[in-house]
Amino acid sequence: MTAPLWYKNAVFYEISVRAFKDSDGDGVGDLRGLTEKLDYLQTLGVDCIWIMPIYPSPRRDDGYDIADYYGVDPVYGSLDDLKTLIDATHQRGIRIIMDLVLNHTSDAHPWFQAARADRNSPYRDYYVWNDDDQKYAGVRIIFSDVEKSNWSWDEKAGQYFWHRFYSTQPDLNFDNPRVQEEMLNVVRFWLEMGIDGFRVDAPTYLFEREGTNCESLPETHAYLKRIRRMIDSEFPGAIMLAESNQWPRELIQYFDQGDEFHMAFNFPLMPRIFLALAQGQASSIKKILNDTPAIPANCQWTTFLRNHDELTLEMVTDEERQLMWQEYAPEPQMILNLGIRRRLAPILNNDRRKIELVNSLLFSLPGSPILYYGDEIGMGDNLNLPDRYGVRTPMQWDDSPYGGFTTGAPFTEPVQGEYGSQKGNVADQLKSPNSQLWAIRKMISLRKQYAAFGGSLEWVETGNPAVLSYMREKDGESILVLNNLSAVAQSAHISTAYQKTGRDLFSNQSAAISEQLNLDPYSYHWIKLLPSATS
Ligand code: GLC
């Protein structure tokens, strides 16, 4: 496990430990449960798992409100259980990263409790206080459905405190050198335990400055670079992955000269995959990738379709958002903040063709793909649950009443009906070569088998705006990818330069690339050109 650039072409898998597998029958998923399921993840072919927060927390934001940065919430197990999990993942050649929440703590954190109780406490200055709620006016509110201001009055403190997320998540004051040191120590603690890096939660908001939007400020980048320097010198090979929902030109500042983040989620691309599908047109995907500047050689994008949050639509125009709401969130309760709080399969009406097509894009476009647990088997969501909890329901392992997730009563109401565990589960799909799970597993294995998917991207003109076609290439290996984004059959016109012989990697049949290729609705092809044909 020493390859320093391992993350540049790796398949990631995001897991809610709470919802993955319960080992002791208390109805809540735990670290031992996850450890039991590592064989499944190995068969799926993932290279790195990302576990959502497991720290002690009052869970006002599912653990993104941390009350102790150095512990594991007993409901998930112990530090020893985590150590066992880390060792077991490493034994299988899989890496493991966890969430690092720098921007804010829980209001139950002892620092905040001390801060609000006493103006003279050394912890007072760990947070951002003000006598009125007018400072930093105009800064956008992220959880706009619930919060009306980024300031909340604290009776005990007799002042307002600043928070970019829920009012139960006070922002830390990174202008305080002690806060900076505290968080460096947190990073050290987990890396010493063997964690391979962090998905850094909300790194955009660390510092505040009057007259700015308080996002991606130079001070914020400087501090993030400081963490990176420490990691590089003390824990080389560990990674930082940025969760920053920004336009490409701001987003690439998180890579800077290759001395800040190793990776960043490609937030601008994600909604455009769904937009392109809704429009039956390839242009929005092409445009965003053309507008995205090159990144340093030691950096990589993380591409994704869904995650544990709403499918955020901040990075599209108002018109595009309307179209996507219409198409993918026809009922008002499906919308949250500006996004869509649904899982992949229901968003795409459980249409296997569409589900496979967007996965074809995920696994064949540049960047390291990340899967959200359960999406590989087409899990559904539970809209009866509030906020984003509807997409964090128990993993469906088999067709037993609680889907094999627990022998007790599950911590939340599982998904029923069309998407319930009777209809879709790992055990059944593993048995059936026609299942979605097999299709995804095949894509992952091809993606890993062919180095071209970690290589260059070149658009291939087809004369047809419904077809997104590109060549992936590395070290003389060339793969032509064709995706028909429309609901009707389309033909692609291929210029003579590409009219070669190849092999369709899914059917394993030889494929002659002729002047005109006919593509079924929502179909995709990955065609490896024969070596002789590329010279
Ligand atoms: C990130 C997380 C989200 C959380 C928020 C506040 O956006 O993905 O789930 O609510 O940060 O920590």
Side-chain angles (χ1 to χ4, degrees):
M1 312 274 286
T2 48
L5 297 179
W6 63 268
Y7 53 90
K8 282 207 61 177
N9 196 15
V11 176
F12 287 71
Y13 187 89
E14 177 187 1
I15 296 173
S16 161
V17 173
R18 188 176 194 77
F20 205 58
K21 172 68 184 164
D22 171 22
S23 72
D24 57 10
D26 68 355
V28 180
D30 46 44
L31 294 166
R32 290 185 184 193
L34 167 53
T35 308
E36 284 170 25
K37 292 298 183 185
L38 288 176
D39 288 342
Y40 165 70
L41 297 174
Q42 191 170 23
T43 325
L44 188 58
V46 309
D47 300 300
C48 182
I49 58 175
W50 150 32
I51 54 171
M52 287 166 62
I54 50 163
Y55 311 91
S57 159
R59 290 193 55 253
R60 300 274 178 270
D61 185 11
D62 211 6
Y64 285 95
D65 47 331
I66 297 174
D68 173 7
Y69 283 92
Y70 295 99
V72 169
D73 195 313
V75 80
Y76 303 127
S78 62
L79 282 171
D80 278 345
D81 292 332
L82 180 64
K83 184 78 189 115
T84 307
L85 170 66
I86 296 172
D87 292 345
T89 49
H90 288 168
Q91 272 155 24
R92 287 168 176 78
I94 300 175
R95 288 183 167 82
I96 174 169
I97 62 170
M98 62 197 290
D99 261 288
L100 173 69
V101 185
L102 295 173
N103 180 65
H104 46 267
T105 69
S106 160
D107 59 2
H109 195 291
W111 296 341
F112 190 71
Q113 291 301 323
R116 63 198 289 238
D118 177 5
R119 258 180 204 251
N120 299 316
S121 158
Y123 294 107
R124 182 72 166 205
D125 195 36
Y126 271 41
Y127 295 90
V128 183
W129 301 96
N130 203 42
D131 288 334
D132 62 46
D133 58 1
Q134 297 307 305
K135 215 171 164 185
Y136 313 133
V139 169
R140 80 186 161 114
I141 295 164
I142 297 163
F143 288 162
S144 54
D145 280 1
V146 173
E147 300 295 345
K148 299 297 161 233
S149 167
N150 288 317
W151 290 106
S152 280
W153 174 254
D154 189 81
E155 202 54 59
K156 213 164 174 185
Q159 277 191 305
Y160 289 89
F161 65 91
W162 178 252
H163 56 88
R164 290 307 302 271
F165 295 92
Y166 289 127
S167 57
T168 48
Q169 293 164 304
D171 272 35
L172 283 166
N173 173 21
F174 277 86
D175 273 318
N176 181 343
R178 291 187 55 184
V179 168
Q180 297 198 12
E181 289 302 327
E182 294 270 14
M183 297 323 273
L184 280 165
N185 287 336
V186 168
V187 170
R188 275 194 191 98
F189 177 81
W190 297 105
L191 293 177
E192 262 158 24
M193 186 171 288
I195 285 285
D196 297 293
F198 300 96
R199 177 257 191 194
V200 183
D201 183 78
T204 319
Y205 315 105
L206 302 188
F207 284 78
E208 298 75 35
R209 290 290 178 263
E210 196 60 273
T212 73
N213 65 1
C214 295
E215 298 188 3
S216 310
L217 298 181
E219 294 84 348
T220 293
H221 285 295
Y223 179 65
L224 293 166
K225 284 196 171 78
R226 198 174 154 206
I227 301 184
R228 171 65 183 265
R229 280 197 301 277
M230 186 274 280
I231 290 183
D232 280 354
S233 75
E234 296 175 33
F235 305 95
I239 60 158
M240 293 162 66
L241 159 60
E243 184 232 10
S244 184
N245 189 359
Q246 305 283 318
W247 291 100
R249 65 182 170 281
E250 274 106 45
L251 194 43
I252 55 147
Q253 294 170 18
Y254 286 79
F255 297 125
D256 202 15
Q257 306 300 311
D259 56 354
E260 199 167 316
F261 279 88
H262 302 76
M263 310 189 84
F265 289 100
N266 200 329
F267 273 102
L269 173 64
M270 182 276 295
R272 285 173 181 76
I273 292 178
F274 293 93
L275 179 64
L277 188 66
Q279 295 172 325
Q281 303 270 323
S283 55
S284 59
I285 296 179
K286 275 189 171 175
K287 182 164 185 339
I288 199 75
L289 289 176
N290 289 342
D291 288 351
T292 305
I295 57 176
N298 62 343
C299 295
Q300 184 57 293
W301 295 109
T302 319
T303 51
F304 64 108
L305 297 167
R306 289 296 292 114
N307 60 24
H308 65 287
D309 288 326
E310 70 274 28
L311 191 166
T312 164
L313 296 177
E314 276 162 1
M315 294 295 121
V316 297
T317 65
D318 292 347
E319 218 171 291
E320 291 166 339
R321 191 176 308 120
Q322 285 302 335
L323 173 74
M324 290 175 74
W325 278 341
Q326 216 173 310
E327 180 75 17
Y328 299 126
E331 294 167 31
Q333 86 261 27
M334 295 171 175
I335 295 177
L336 178 67
N337 304 316
L338 285 184
I340 300 172
R341 58 184 202 108
R342 306 180 77 193
R343 267 201 185 254
L344 182 66
I347 285 175
L348 301 179
N349 289 325
N350 215 4
D351 184 332
R352 265 287 288 282
R353 299 172 307 172
K354 293 187 188 175
I355 294 172
E356 287 193 27
L357 177 61
V358 292
N359 276 289
S360 160
L361 295 166
L362 176 71
F363 287 105
S364 66
L365 282 170
S368 288
I370 179 157
L371 266 172
Y372 182 50
Y373 84 94
D375 279 350
E376 73 276 23
I377 56 166
M379 259 173 62
D381 46 54
N382 183 350
L383 288 171
N384 294 329
L385 300 173
D387 200 340
R388 293 149 292 170
Y389 293 100
V391 300
R392 303 176 189 176
T393 57
M395 179 70 175
Q396 296 169 183
W397 295 105
D398 59 37
D399 65 1
S400 64
Y402 295 135
F405 162 71
T406 180
T407 54
F411 69 93
T412 190
E413 188 187 303
V415 174
Q416 317 273 351
E418 184 188 352
Y419 297 96
S421 58
Q422 317 284 316
K423 291 282 167 59
N425 64 68
V426 170
D428 286 349
Q429 293 199 19
L430 277 177
K431 280 184 245 155
S432 160
N434 294 323
S435 65
Q436 182 180 319
L437 178 57
W438 275 59
I440 303 291
R441 214 162 59 166
K442 178 79 183 171
M443 288 189 202
I444 295 177
S445 83
L446 290 174
R447 154 111 207 172
K448 290 171 69 168
Q449 188 177 343
Y450 294 102
F453 292 114
S456 62
L457 169 91
E458 186 195 322
W459 300 122
V460 173
E461 279 313 318
T462 64
N464 185 333
V467 177
L468 183 65
S469 182
Y470 38 91
M471 191 68 86
R472 301 301 316 270
E473 223 151 11
K474 187 166 185 182
D475 300 335
E477 182 180 276
S478 309
I479 297 176
L480 174 69
V481 179
L482 294 143
N483 301 284
N484 176 6
L485 294 159
S486 99
V488 295
Q490 300 285 343
S491 53
H493 295 275
I494 309 287
S495 79
T496 41
Y498 300 107
Q499 291 176 24
K500 296 177 174 170
T501 316
R503 190 161 49 84
D504 188 306
L505 295 178
F506 291 103
S507 67
N508 212 13
Q509 307 280 311
S510 88
I513 302 166
S514 54
E515 204 281 292
Q516 183 178 321
L517 294 175
N518 296 321
L519 303 172
D520 288 342
Y522 300 126
S523 64
Y524 57 93
H525 296 274
W526 299 1
I527 301 171
K528 178 170 185 302
L529 303 188
L530 291 187
S532 57
T534 57
S535 54

